[in-house]
Amino acid sequence: KTVPKHAALLNVPLKEVRKPKPFGSPQFMSTLSHRSFTSLTRSSSVPLSMGTNSGVSGETGEDIEKRIAVKGDQIRQLKADGVSKEDLGPHIEELLALKALANPTEEAKEKDTKNTGSNTNSEKVGGKAGGGEASESEIRLARLDKANAMVEAGQNPYAYSFDPTHTAAELKIIYDGKLEGGEEDENADVKVAGRIMTRRVFGKLAFFTLLDESGTIQLQLDKKRLGPSFKDLKAWTDSGDIIGARGTIRRTDKGELSVYCTEWTMLTKSALPLPDKFHGLTDISKRYRQRHLDLIVNSDVRETFRKRALMTSALRQKLNDLGFLEIETPVLHNEPGGAEAKPFETYHNSMGMDLTLRIATELHLKRLIVGGFHKVYELGRIFRNEGISTRHNPEFTSVELYQAYADYNDMMELTEDLICGMCKSVHGSLHVEYGEHKISLEKPWRRVTMHDIVKE
């Protein structure tokens, strides 16, 4: 007799198609498992596990979606051929099983995240065959589970305070040229705090790289020293967590200066992982929108922030030493002035008044001179509703200063002093490198008129 098309597609005996088992019976479910397993393995060299968290090892969500599309087309073709509902049952069950793989239930997700391993920086879903990479939501759930586990154990995953005795940079300066490989300063008693950047666990020994404001320091954590808390360390910590550690100072056999820990404290449990340490945070737009992550993973960005703070502090200090008063002027103006720029507009509800954010501090500072002050300045934020780029921000900082009884020659002298003072505060000298150029800011600077420099 002619074999029906759907029997050939399933590659099962004709009698199984002609005489379907009752739906839900053990015989039917056994046949369904066999059919689903056979159908999928014939289209893939990777076997399918039929457990609760079943999935094809190494198979991506995109692969599963393709399988769903193929199976859907297959079912539609079978329906067009007039196949009965009983014979379509196994195909439909297989399609539902694939959809379940593509969209696991919340219960399955929670079960997976509870089994997530924590021995390395790359986080996996424990329930997935082959330990596939976890999604961000799964990692977050797993980490919050760890925070809850700490609470249940009587520990606070978000401590109120910690008192470090040293920074990473201070310890490196103190022990520069001291301690041979494998040697320990048993008399030292230091406390450090920072964020776990890398985490390496080897059975009864672990090494963490801790980042604080000044730099990095290694933590050496030994089960013999920590006792029962070593098990908690392995179970509860992840890269990105902020912890405190206390111990002696030891230089490892490889020469790495380390805090040889006698105790540790969770200070802040991180809910999300850090950006990949090899690729980092490279997207420019994302770096600007998530500066906190940019600062964590890029030390040169932290250095730029630090230098800028030193520059503004040196600027203020120099003006204050010269007798200038920094006076805050209004940010909200009823009419923009002091520059030619498009303002940001806002509205004062109580006064029923249209206002703008300032586009300059000039006019109010000049009024202070009229009012009797001789030297005034303001270092403040300016808002101009114009173009935006990585080099042009509609919200920026400016300094304006005004001095009675002084002319442009006095202003040139002051400008030299301010810029040289800021340069020394950052570099310690007046000679800086910019790309391939070496620049000297030594005084006196060249004086030239605008007319002559344009001609030149």
Side-chain angles (χ1 to χ4, degrees), residues 315 318-319 322-324 365-366 369 374-377 399-420 422 443 445-447:
L315 176 66
K318 181 64 176 178
L319 290 173
L322 292 173
F324 283 83
L365 289 173
K366 285 181 174 177
I369 295 292
H374 287 182
K375 295 180 178 181
V376 295
Y377 79 97
V399 59
E400 290 198 34
L401 57 91
Y402 294 90
Q403 179 179 350
Y405 316 121
D407 63 9
Y408 69 91
N409 291 300
D410 298 298
M411 290 296 104
M412 285 193 286
E413 295 266 351
L414 181 56
T415 301
E416 275 185 341
D417 291 339
L418 291 176
I419 293 178
C420 289
M422 288 188 287
K443 297 187 290 185
W445 293 1
R446 178 189 176 193
R447 264 67 167 170

Side-chain angles (χ1 to χ4, degrees), residues 46-243:
V46 185
L48 174 68
S49 169
M50 297 304 292
T52 304
N53 295 319
S54 60
V56 177
S57 177
E59 188 171 43
T60 65
E62 185 178 351
D63 294 332
I64 295 175
E65 291 295 337
K66 289 179 181 179
R67 292 179 181 276
I68 290 173
V70 171
K71 179 53 64 177
D73 293 339
Q74 194 179 57
I75 291 174
R76 281 188 288 273
Q77 182 61 47
L78 292 173
K79 285 182 178 180
D81 292 341
V83 176
S84 65
K85 291 183 179 180
E86 290 80 3
D87 294 337
L88 280 174
H91 296 277
I92 295 173
E93 289 295 328
E94 185 179 332
L95 179 62
L96 293 175
L98 285 170
K99 288 184 175 180
L101 286 177
N103 300 289
T105 62
E106 289 301 318
E107 182 179 354
K109 286 182 180 179
E110 289 182 11
K111 185 173 181 180
D112 284 345
T113 52
K114 286 180 181 178
N115 294 326
T116 300
S118 61
N119 288 338
T120 62
N121 285 333
S122 59
E123 303 191 38
K124 313 285 186 182
V125 179
K128 291 183 178 180
E133 292 289 341
S135 68
E136 187 174 284
S137 60
E138 289 171 327
I139 293 173
R140 187 174 187 275
L141 285 173
R143 291 188 173 213
L144 292 179
D145 281 344
K146 294 180 182 181
N148 291 332
M150 291 189 67
V151 173
E152 291 173 1
Q155 303 292 323
N156 187 356
Y158 301 98
Y160 295 111
S161 63
F162 189 81
D163 188 20
T165 59
H166 299 80
T167 65
E170 288 172 347
L171 289 176
K172 289 182 177 181
I173 291 173
I174 293 171
Y175 287 92
D176 183 32
K178 300 179 181 178
L179 300 179
E180 298 295 328
E183 187 179 355
E184 177 187 355
D185 182 1
E186 298 180 354
N187 296 322
D189 184 14
V190 303
K191 293 168 70 176
V192 293
R195 188 182 298 277
I196 301 173
M197 299 303 291
T198 61
R199 180 180 177 279
R200 305 183 303 281
V201 180
F202 310 99
K204 299 179 180 180
L205 184 65
F207 294 95
F208 290 2
T209 300
L210 203 70
L211 172 71
D212 65 13
E213 186 180 12
S214 68
T216 60
I217 188 78
Q218 180 171 271
L219 303 184
Q220 181 175 346
L221 305 122
D222 193 321
K223 184 177 180 180
K224 290 182 180 179
R225 279 205 168 196
L226 294 177
S229 67
F230 185 77
K231 181 180 179 181
D232 297 335
L233 176 86
K234 292 171 63 177
W236 292 341
T237 60
D238 293 288
S239 64
D241 293 347
I242 298 176
I243 65 171

Side-chain angles (χ1 to χ4, degrees), residues 171-172 175 179 217-218 249-251 255-259:
L171 289 176
K172 289 182 177 181
Y175 287 92
L179 300 179
I217 188 78
Q218 180 171 271
I249 295 295
R250 181 178 184 271
R251 197 174 292 279
E256 183 74 20
L257 188 69
S258 307
V259 177

Side-chain angles (χ1 to χ4, degrees), residues 388-452:
I388 184 170
S389 71
T390 56
R391 300 179 65 86
H392 184 92
N393 197 338
E395 175 188 351
F396 60 93
T397 302
S398 80
V399 59
E400 290 198 34
L401 57 91
Y402 294 90
Q403 179 179 350
Y405 316 121
D407 63 9
Y408 69 91
N409 291 300
D410 298 298
M411 290 296 104
M412 285 193 286
E413 295 266 351
L414 181 56
T415 301
E416 275 185 341
D417 291 339
L418 291 176
I419 293 178
C420 289
M422 288 188 287
C423 184
K424 281 188 175 180
S425 71
V426 172
H427 294 289
S429 74
L430 295 178
H431 299 273
V432 297
E433 292 185 5
Y434 185 79
E436 299 177 352
H437 302 283
K438 294 184 178 180
I439 302 172
S440 174
L441 296 179
E442 294 284 354
K443 297 187 290 185
W445 293 1
R446 178 189 176 193
R447 264 67 167 170
V448 59
T449 66
M450 181 67 74
H451 179 75
D452 290 341

